[in-house]
Amino acid sequence: MLFYLFRFLHDTFDIPGAGMWSYISFRAIAALILALVISAVFGEYFIKFMKRRNISEAQRDPSIDPYGVQKKGVPTMGGIIIIVATIVPCLLLGRLRNIYMILLLATTVWLGFLGFMDDYIKMNKTKDGMKPIYKLVGQAALGLVVGLTLYLSPDAVMRENVTIKKVVTEQVVTSPDDHYADIYCIDEAEPQSRVIETVTLKSEPEKSTKTTMPFCKNHNLDYASWFGWMGDYAQFAGWVLFVFLTTFIIMAVSNGANLNDGMDGMCAGNSAIMCIALGLLAYFSSHIEYASYFNIMYIPGTQELVVFVAAFVGALIGFLWYNAFPAQIFMGDTGSLAIGGIIGVLAVTIHKELLIPVICFIFLAESVSVILQTSYAKHGNKKGLKLRVFKRAPIHDTFRVLPGQIPADFKIIFANWPKGSWHESKIVVRFWITTIILAAFAIMTLKIR
């Protein structure tokens, strides 16, 4: 809203300083700071509110969580802090008519509501919470909406293999929106300059089922190319596959984040790092010169994702003020489901979904460890054996198993890994470091091609 207000003040009254609200960098940093302040201030009142009403997490099983006794009575549903601290800066500082901003705000609200209902049922009806099928249906519905929106919206377009030719011309820029119309990222453009650089593009905007291929130069993967045998229907089939993959990615990353939320500060810290990497990729994709330099597809309009990511990262870091060990509040499914969905949608909208296994490796490892553990255990149950792959699952739990906690009759493949147990804080920090390394490597893939 403030973007439109200051644009009006700039265009109508030429108020000094009003033009800076057209800068992506200014609005992103402002969103980051505002989200930090909101999460820190609102978080304190929210924790007191939850404690007064005795809305807290049930005491955890000490055989799984050695520090569970310390966490008795800690409030849950802290994801509300993250959601509020993300949405408010975006509403104030974002361009609310931008299709990508709309999709991310809808994702935040919908998955936050889905997680809230799960937490509410856990505390008031059954400790198992919402039936898994209901959560999966809610996540799948969001995936379909996101995929179909990217398919149908005329604003969701891209340009492939952009080359630019700069021509210095005299032009009066009457509105910050002129920079968007001139398909030039307005981050460092001067709104009142009479001499600017116009850009000539080699490629035309198009609706495309293409995505960036890591490690491959001058090549994007086109999902429609897999259906060449369908003739005129190949492009439509490619979009069907794209919508299906979008749905799968959102479900997978959302549930991966949910599984990763098992230690103080774990999910919030990992997610902040992942989003910083995706925010950089979104900025490169939205800036025509960077897109040309890195030889990636140019996606006009995705610069607003930078504002959203800045607000989201600020909210996550502010939440860590209370969620770091020992936690004063847990995010619950209200936060973890929304966090994972946001990361999935971010990757899909900038056509970098093939980098998810790298950027979100921790979430992937958590999900795979649970799948392996449950599948192997079922196999053992059929034979009357107690078979396990890891000491515990999700994978982060296997690092904190104390000596003597595993029954002697269990047959575990990785029974001697790791040796001993780590303190929760050490596990969290080492998972953060792993995510930092992988996020940096994902950015490096822009040049390793």
Side-chain angles (χ1 to χ4, degrees), residues 58-236:
Q59 183 172 344
R60 301 183 181 184
D61 185 351
S63 66
I64 298 176
D65 184 356
Y67 309 100
V69 176
Q70 303 175 25
K71 301 175 184 180
K72 183 178 180 181
V74 175
T76 186
M77 289 189 181
I80 294 175
I81 299 172
I82 299 172
I83 292 171
V84 171
T86 300
I87 290 178
V88 172
C90 289
L91 292 178
L92 289 175
L93 302 168
R95 297 179 71 238
L96 302 181
R97 288 179 291 183
N98 180 278
I99 186 62
Y100 302 110
M101 177 65 77
I102 293 171
L103 281 177
L104 265 298
L105 290 174
T107 297
T108 305
V109 172
W110 174 246
L111 290 183
F113 171 76
L114 196 67
F116 173 83
M117 292 304 299
D118 188 36
D119 287 334
Y120 179 82
I121 293 172
K122 283 179 183 177
M123 291 184 295
N124 294 279
K125 295 184 179 181
T126 170
K127 64 178 182 179
D128 294 327
M130 184 185 296
K131 291 183 179 180
I133 186 63
Y134 294 155
K135 287 195 286 187
L136 291 175
V137 168
Q139 292 166 331
L142 175 69
L144 289 172
V145 170
V146 172
L148 290 173
T149 300
L150 293 175
Y151 170 50
L152 297 172
S153 173
D155 296 326
V157 296
M158 52 80 72
R159 294 173 184 258
E160 186 184 17
N161 298 327
V162 171
T163 59
I164 60 176
K165 177 182 178 182
K166 297 181 181 179
V167 181
V168 177
T169 60
E170 290 193 2
Q171 176 182 348
V172 177
V173 180
T174 58
S175 166
D177 272 356
D178 286 348
H179 296 293
Y180 288 102
D182 205 28
I183 48 175
Y184 195 99
C185 185
I186 66 171
D187 184 52
E188 302 301 337
E190 180 63 34
Q192 290 184 305
S193 175
R194 295 188 62 87
V195 180
I196 68 167
E197 292 177 331
T198 60
V199 178
T200 301
L201 297 174
K202 177 181 177 181
S203 61
E204 294 297 324
E206 60 177 328
K207 303 289 295 183
S208 176
T209 54
K210 296 176 182 178
T211 187
T212 299
M213 282 279 288
F215 310 110
C216 297
K217 189 174 184 179
N218 298 323
H219 181 69
N220 292 321
L221 174 64
D222 190 349
Y223 298 130
S225 65
W226 295 349
F227 302 96
W229 51 275
M230 295 183 66
D232 295 338
Y233 298 98
Q235 195 65 34
F236 176 76

Side-chain angles (χ1 to χ4, degrees), residues 77-80 82-83 111-112 115-116 119 254 257-258 261 267 271 312 316 319 330-342:
M77 289 189 181
I80 294 175
I82 299 172
I83 292 171
L111 290 183
F116 173 83
D119 287 334
S254 183
N258 187 235
D261 180 33
C267 186
S271 301
F312 187 50
L316 289 169
F319 180 72
F330 301 132
M331 68 169 61
D333 285 5
T334 306
S336 60
L337 290 182
I339 285 172
I342 288 168

